[in-house]
Amino acid sequence: DLSSMHPAVAATVAMLRSGSARRSEIPAKELENFVSPSRGQLAAKRLMDVTVVLVSLPLLLPMMAVIAVLVKLTSRGPVLFKHVRVGRDGRLFKVLKFRTMTPGTHESIWSDIEKIEQFAASGFKLPDRDPSITRFGRLLRRTSLDELPQFFNVLGGSMSLVGVRPLVVPEVTMRSELDQVLYTTMKPGI
């Protein structure tokens, strides 16, 4: 259902689904190794994702609780960062992470064209020494512990344990045609 998608993503997905312009513009050599998984393979992957998450969560929840308390004690704002990302077939979902930046950082980046250009030039990642990243946030990012809440995204079905990086809408539309095919035909991973 394209109506639930951001218009820019919906246009890209519509073109890919129809087999029109974008996909035909991608050199065949680029797509020759890209094979869509079968329904059985997708079901097996989903079963593995859910099983690993259900086994891991009881072990990880105490650590996640400690991290949540430390995020709250070391900076103002919510414990979790919830941000809209593009998933499989261009569906939008909220990715969950422990907050590592001061509140409002993402909004300030996407509202200033100069900041957007700098962000895109750095591979859509903030530099490690960016002042908007909290001290505890640097540790969480360095150890990837900020990603732990994404286990709930996997459990909910919007993400997989292994997959492409979850992108925000402007990132998808700024990527190459091949990247747009890859990012809209598979679930993002942790």
Side-chain angles (χ1 to χ4, degrees):
D1 178 27
L2 297 178
S3 64
S4 65
M5 297 178 201
H6 185 280
V9 175
T12 300
V13 171
M15 284 193 292
L16 294 173
R17 284 182 182 167
S18 70
S20 67
R22 294 258 178 170
R23 196 167 193 135
S24 63
E25 291 171 10
I26 301 169
K29 184 177 183 250
E30 299 279 352
L31 285 175
E32 68 186 20
N33 293 325
F34 181 75
V35 179
S36 295
S38 69
R39 293 184 85 184
Q41 289 170 321
L42 290 173
K45 188 171 195 281
R46 177 75 182 135
L47 179 63
M48 183 185 73
D49 283 347
V50 171
T51 302
V52 169
V53 168
L54 289 176
V55 169
S56 301
L57 267 180
L59 304 171
L60 293 173
L61 281 173
M63 181 180 4
M64 291 171 74
V66 169
I67 291 170
V69 168
L70 290 172
V71 167
K72 196 65 178 168
L73 290 175
T74 59
S75 63
R76 284 194 214 167
V79 169
L80 292 178
F81 174 69
K82 300 172 191 172
H83 203 251
V84 176
R85 302 295 172 103
V86 180
R88 184 166 186 200
D89 296 325
R91 289 187 191 101
L92 301 181
F93 72 98
K94 286 189 179 180
V95 69
L96 302 174
K97 297 175 108 179
F98 284 117
R99 186 178 50 78
T100 61
M101 301 177 291
T102 56
T105 299
H106 260 274
E107 292 78 9
S108 73
I109 290 171
W110 292 109
S111 64
D112 180 339
I113 191 70
E114 192 174 305
K115 287 181 182 179
I116 293 170
E117 289 170 354
Q118 291 171 348
F119 195 51
S122 67
F124 300 99
K125 293 200 175 241
L126 288 175
D128 192 37
R129 289 288 169 199
D130 189 287
S132 61
I133 300 173
T134 66
R135 284 180 50 188
F136 187 58
R138 279 191 188 84
L139 173 67
L140 291 177
R141 284 174 170 229
R142 216 174 17 254
T143 58
S144 296
L145 292 174
D146 61 321
E147 314 279 340
L148 287 176
Q150 291 176 18
F151 272 64
F152 294 106
N153 288 115
V154 172
L155 202 55
S158 57
M159 291 181 71
S160 181
L161 290 172
V162 178
V164 295
R165 183 172 160 256
L167 302 178
V168 295
V169 171
E171 285 183 78
V172 174
T173 59
M174 296 168 88
R175 299 281 176 159
S176 71
E177 288 86 1
L178 177 61
D179 281 352
Q180 289 183 23
V181 169
L182 295 176
Y183 279 102
T184 56
T185 56
M186 54 182 35
K187 281 185 185 178
I190 293 182

